[in-house]
Amino acid sequence: MYDEPLMQVLDQTDDLADQIRQSELFDAYQKAKHALVNDKEAQRLYGQFLKSKINYDEVQRFGRFHPDYQEVMLKTRRLKRQYEMHDTVVAFKQSETALQQLLDEVVTMIAKSVSAHVKIDAGTPLFEALTTGGGCATGASCQCRIS
């Protein structure tokens, strides 16, 4: 049932989403995404990886008993690494992670302000730090607290 207070919350949610889309983090993410989509070398590397992944999936069906198991496994890992180490891909993944951390923080702050017992389902280390109330979101062993 939708009542006026719930509609106001939904409107405020839309406003918050607009603010996030207007942030520098989102702008950096959009630029990195655009650069990745338009980087011919990155797209070529991704295409090679996808082709190799088809062979990888076939070999996985038979496991170590497949005659090309070792060769296909190594080739696929090399191609994946080449793609993931490409400068444009690295920049995109960094901006994607930064934006995801912002979204995770917002969700956690909202949930915890409603109730300390709200369960937040996420698999990022940032969520673990935020929900346990300890540690650094960067994974370092410092004594900082996220509040």
Side-chain angles (χ1 to χ4, degrees), residues 36 40-53 79 82-83 89:
L36 179 60
K40 291 182 182 181
E41 178 63 12
Q43 296 307 312
R44 184 187 68 76
L45 290 170
Y46 187 64
Q48 285 181 328
F49 167 68
L50 287 180
K51 286 178 186 174
S52 182
K53 179 103 171 57
L79 289 171
Q82 282 179 339
Y83 172 72
V89 176

Side-chain angles (χ1 to χ4, degrees), residues 16-66:
L16 179 58
D18 288 341
Q19 290 175 10
I20 290 171
R21 282 190 295 270
Q22 293 170 10
S23 71
E24 290 180 26
L25 275 177
F26 185 77
D27 185 50
Y29 168 78
Q30 289 291 88
K31 287 177 181 175
K33 182 178 177 183
H34 180 74
L36 179 60
V37 168
N38 292 306
D39 185 328
K40 291 182 182 181
E41 178 63 12
Q43 296 307 312
R44 184 187 68 76
L45 290 170
Y46 187 64
Q48 285 181 328
F49 167 68
L50 287 180
K51 286 178 186 174
S52 182
K53 179 103 171 57
I54 292 169
N55 291 337
Y56 173 88
D57 291 340
E58 179 68 25
V59 166
Q60 284 298 99
R61 288 186 14 200
F62 300 101
R64 295 189 183 272
F65 300 108
H66 192 284

Side-chain angles (χ1 to χ4, degrees), residues 11-31 95-110:
D11 288 343
Q12 290 171 345
T13 303
D14 288 339
D15 292 342
L16 179 58
D18 288 341
Q19 290 175 10
I20 290 171
R21 282 190 295 270
Q22 293 170 10
S23 71
E24 290 180 26
L25 275 177
F26 185 77
D27 185 50
Y29 168 78
Q30 289 291 88
K31 287 177 181 175
S95 66
E96 182 181 49
T97 299
L99 182 60
Q100 184 64 53
Q101 286 178 336
L102 172 65
L103 295 171
D104 292 348
E105 285 182 56
V106 168
V107 167
T108 300
M109 287 180 197
I110 292 170

